[in-house]
Amino acid sequence: MTLHRRSQHRTSAPRRVTAVAAAAALAVTGLVAAQPATAAASYTVTSLHFLVHVGPQHATDCDVVGDLYLPKAASRSHRVPSILTTNGFGGSDADQAPFAETEAKLGYAVLSYSGLGFGGSSCPITLDDPTYDGAAAKQLVTYLGGGGGIAFTDAKHTDPAPRLLDVIHDAHDHDGVAHAHDPRVGMWGGSYGGEIQFAAADVDPRIDAINPQITWNDLSYSLGPNNATPRGSVTTATPGATKLTWGVLFSSVGLADGVQYSSADPYRLVGCPNFAGFVCEALVTGGTTGYFQPSDVAAFRHASVESYLKNIRIPVLLDQGEDDTLFNLNEAVATYKALRDQGTPVDMMWRLQGHSGGTPSAAGLAYENARIQAWFDHYLKGNKVGTGSRFAYYRDWTGTFAQSSHYPVGSTRSYYLSGGSATGGGDLAATPGSVASGSQSFTTAPAGAPTTLSDLDAIGGELPAGTALDVPDENLPGTYATWQTPVLTEATDVVGSPQLRVDISAPTAAATSAAGPAGQVVLFAKVYDVAPDGSENLIHGLVAPFRVADPSEPVRVTLPAIAHRFPAGDRIRLVVAGGDTNYRGGLTPTPVTITSGSSSQVLTLPVVG
């Protein structure tokens, strides 16, 4: 029995129901701390209700609640740029208050609002669908540009608020079209408040610059990943393995918000409570079968930037968390690559903190916040300030960021799957000529049951190490294969997505795979850092599920990207397992054999330095 310790980057705060929203708020800590308290009286705050029309033909009316932070110096003759921001999943407009206060002190008008289905705003949660959430944001942009008939002082929309005439106007949008109400406006936010920026930019070319943080590229991958993907993409034709703990948390948080505000909007509890109708069925079916149905995948992708990337042409500063089992770094890489290839101005930062925890150094937080501020000052204020490098990543081994003019970085280093390890399992050989024959066999569990004992992804990252629920990874005997390197003679810095090419022998699955996902074997690839004392760290708790559509063909797996130093004296270990605590695996027990002896089976690591 092998013990695997998950990443030790943890937060010490107790978990709240709205922890998903709290993850997005981590980004503003340094910005707030950097501002003097004496500036508190330099802006006003006005609470407003907005009547927005969303959905097909804009036939659905919703009440959106929000707060306008306006610098006192702003006026019709002294206009200021603006920023639109909204909450992470389960949060409200109040979560953005520290950011809004900071930016108001710096001369920005900030409108912070609760997204549809959250924090007192009506209508169901539609997963940042451009037709709903994007349409709502578009109408708030019109308000920032001076449009009337949108903002009110009361929830019944009977008392119109004054028009906002204090924001800079642009002569035309990013399609070259002139509008009566075109404000200079950017968007900021994380997680659910990150994807909304893409949804809004998809339907509104008046938006000028965005900073989406710790968010998704393809929601069908986020909630049911198949890592048998080409490098630089997270979208596959074959479904993956459903995330169980994250799905349960989302359902609970969304329902709790609906119950809390049901007296004002009882409709949201009809059907799928507080969610768009397809969501409940998708989560139940996915949790039962282990994969999402094609119609659900299509609905998830409709609410994902992956499906409308061609419409995103404004400057984008991506900011993704290294410690994140919900929206891992591969999602940001996929978005970055697609935007870069089509010529959209885009930079990418990998910060430490994500949905699974992570506490960066003061220097690291200051760097990130300075990049964000420079982005808005450059594109919204027109200041002649640099926006930083094309790519930057946080090094938790130094507490600082490294910068690069491009991504990917470094060079590849290959380790070949080999037989014959004195410690059990196989070796990761450094050269093709040293590969030895060998084989390892295991059987996946029935009904997609887990074959590991480990933290629950949706809460584990928030638990202090050593508490009763802080569980080290433990793979059950007979349910996995493993290979490891010799002791490293020098530190090895890996920055990017490890790639695995492996041949799977699964005769029973070979006979049933053609029938579809239910007959296909599901496996889980993981990379560990093994210390000299034998203790192991599953790097940031990241796991790569992959569903094998055809076991007669080699499988190519793109593992979640990491930025990690393997110190000298440690070993690198690869595990391919038959199950995982946080996922529903394949439903049918399947014998699997992985035979080494060929240089075609290889783990490739992107190494820097």
Side-chain angles (χ1 to χ4, degrees):
M1 187 173 291
T2 306
L3 230 53
H4 305 301
R5 170 63 63 182
R6 284 184 183 258
S7 169
Q8 297 304 303
H9 300 291
R10 301 177 183 273
T11 59
S12 57
R15 185 132 192 131
R16 299 182 294 116
V17 173
T18 56
V20 177
L26 288 171
V28 304
T29 305
L31 283 170
V32 175
Q35 300 306 309
T38 54
S42 63
Y43 61 91
T44 61
V45 183
T46 304
S47 295
L48 297 168
H49 289 262
F50 300 90
L51 174 61
V52 299
H53 315 287
V54 302
Q57 289 78 51
H58 289 179
T60 301
D61 295 345
C62 303
D63 175 47
V64 171
V65 299
D67 292 316
L68 174 68
Y69 297 75
L70 189 64
K72 287 184 177 179
S75 67
R76 193 166 188 171
S77 60
H78 180 74
R79 295 177 183 251
V80 297
S82 63
I83 299 175
L84 185 64
T85 180
T86 188
N87 53 276
F89 200 92
S92 73
D93 61 310
D95 298 335
Q96 281 67 249
F99 170 83
E101 292 167 356
T102 297
E103 295 304 311
K105 295 170 188 175
L106 294 175
Y108 289 89
V110 182
L111 177 56
S112 175
Y113 72 99
S114 296
L116 301 182
F118 296 112
S121 290
S122 67
C123 293
I125 299 165
T126 51
L127 305 179
D128 281 338
D129 188 316
T131 309
Y132 292 86
D133 301 277
K138 181 176 181 178
Q139 291 162 74
L140 299 186
V141 169
T142 296
Y143 163 75
L144 289 170
I150 303 166
F152 299 83
T153 63
D154 65 317
K156 294 183 178 180
H157 311 129
T158 61
D159 183 20
R163 294 192 180 197
L164 183 62
L165 303 175
D166 308 299
V167 173
I168 297 170
H169 280 205
D170 289 326
H172 53 76
D173 67 19
H174 292 271
D175 287 340
V177 177
H179 297 268
H181 309 296
D182 186 352
R184 182 76 51 79
V185 60
M187 292 188 72
W188 175 92
S191 193
Y192 199 78
E195 190 70 18
I196 181 57
Q197 300 174 51
F198 290 125
D202 175 41
V203 299
D204 194 347
R206 294 174 299 172
I207 297 170
D208 298 294
I210 58 177
N211 173 220
Q213 301 177 20
I214 57 174
T215 197
W216 67 89
N217 170 270
D218 181 344
L219 198 54
S220 70
Y221 171 84
S222 310
L223 300 178
N226 181 6
N227 284 81
T229 59
R231 186 192 299 263
S233 174
V234 295
T235 299
T236 59
T238 301
T242 308
K243 288 180 180 177
L244 296 177
T245 57
W246 277 117
V248 169
L249 178 64
F250 277 132
S251 303
S252 302
V253 171
L255 177 58
D257 247 279
V259 171
Q260 181 178 357
Y261 296 102
S262 60
S263 59
D265 182 20
Y267 171 76
R268 71 172 68 195
L269 296 183
V270 176
C272 179
N274 208 31
F275 285 94
F278 82 94
V279 176
C280 291
E281 182 178 353
L283 292 177
V284 170
T285 303
T288 302
T289 64
Y291 59 93
F292 293 118
Q293 301 302 307
S295 60
D296 298 327
V297 170
F300 284 137
R301 288 180 181 165
H302 178 69
S304 301
V305 67
E306 183 274 336
S307 68
Y308 53 82
L309 272 161
K310 66 181 184 300
N311 296 331
I312 309 301
R313 299 181 298 277
I314 57 174
V316 179
L317 176 59
L318 296 169
D319 191 359
Q320 201 80 349
E322 296 170 2
D323 199 350
D324 201 323
T325 59
L326 177 58
F327 305 134
N328 66 49
L329 294 172
N330 285 7
E331 304 237 35
V333 170
T335 303
Y336 171 84
K337 180 178 182 297
L339 293 176
R340 180 198 62 194
D341 290 349
Q342 70 184 26
T344 297
V346 58
D347 289 352
M348 179 170 63
M349 280 193 296
W350 291 358
R351 74 191 200 197
L352 179 61
Q353 65 273 31
H355 289 84
S356 304
T359 304
S361 67
L365 196 60
Y367 174 87
E368 179 191 355
N369 290 330
R371 286 290 303 269
I372 295 169
Q373 196 62 61
W375 193 258
F376 288 135
D377 289 349
H378 179 86
Y379 287 108
L380 300 182
K381 284 187 175 181
N383 290 354
K384 294 182 179 180
V385 295
T387 57
S389 62
R390 178 62 62 89
F391 173 56
Y393 59 93
Y394 185 76
R395 299 171 293 188
D396 59 8
W397 56 96
T398 66
T400 61
F401 274 85
Q403 302 181 87
S404 174
S405 61
H406 58 275
Y407 179 86
V409 294
S411 57
T412 58
R413 180 177 301 177
S414 296
Y415 292 99
Y416 302 90
L417 277 59
S418 177
S421 174
T423 59
D427 293 328
L428 289 175
T431 62
S434 58
V435 173
S437 298
S439 66
Q440 298 182 62
S441 299
F442 59 90
T443 301
T444 65
T451 61
T452 60
L453 301 175
S454 62
D455 286 343
L456 301 180
D457 276 347
I459 63 172
E462 297 293 324
L463 296 171
T467 59
L469 294 177
D470 175 44
V471 182
D473 270 9
E474 186 174 333
N475 287 299
L476 302 180
T479 66
Y480 67 96
T482 183
W483 301 261
Q484 71 175 4
T485 66
V487 172
L488 299 174
T489 58
E490 61 181 8
T492 301
D493 297 345
V494 176
V495 180
S497 299
Q499 304 284 321
L500 173 64
R501 186 188 186 280
V502 63
D503 296 327
I504 305 294
S505 176
T508 59
T512 59
S513 291
Q520 295 166 350
V521 63
V522 178
L523 301 174
F524 301 85
K526 304 179 272 190
V527 173
Y528 298 86
D529 186 335
V530 184
D533 64 1
S535 61
E536 300 182 344
N537 168 25
L538 175 58
I539 301 165
H540 294 306
L542 294 169
V543 176
F546 59 102
R547 188 177 296 269
V548 183
D550 183 356
S552 69
E553 294 292 329
V555 183
R556 292 174 173 82
V557 182
T558 301
L559 282 76
I562 57 175
H564 180 77
R565 167 167 286 181
F566 294 88
D570 285 14
R571 299 172 184 260
I572 301 169
R573 172 165 290 177
L574 168 70
V575 170
V576 176
D580 189 86
T581 299
N582 292 288
Y583 297 84
R584 175 56 55 87
L587 300 184
T588 305
T590 304
V592 174
T593 298
I594 301 176
T595 301
S596 60
S598 166
S599 60
S600 64
Q601 300 196 89
V602 58
L603 174 68
T604 304
L605 302 178
V607 176
V608 175

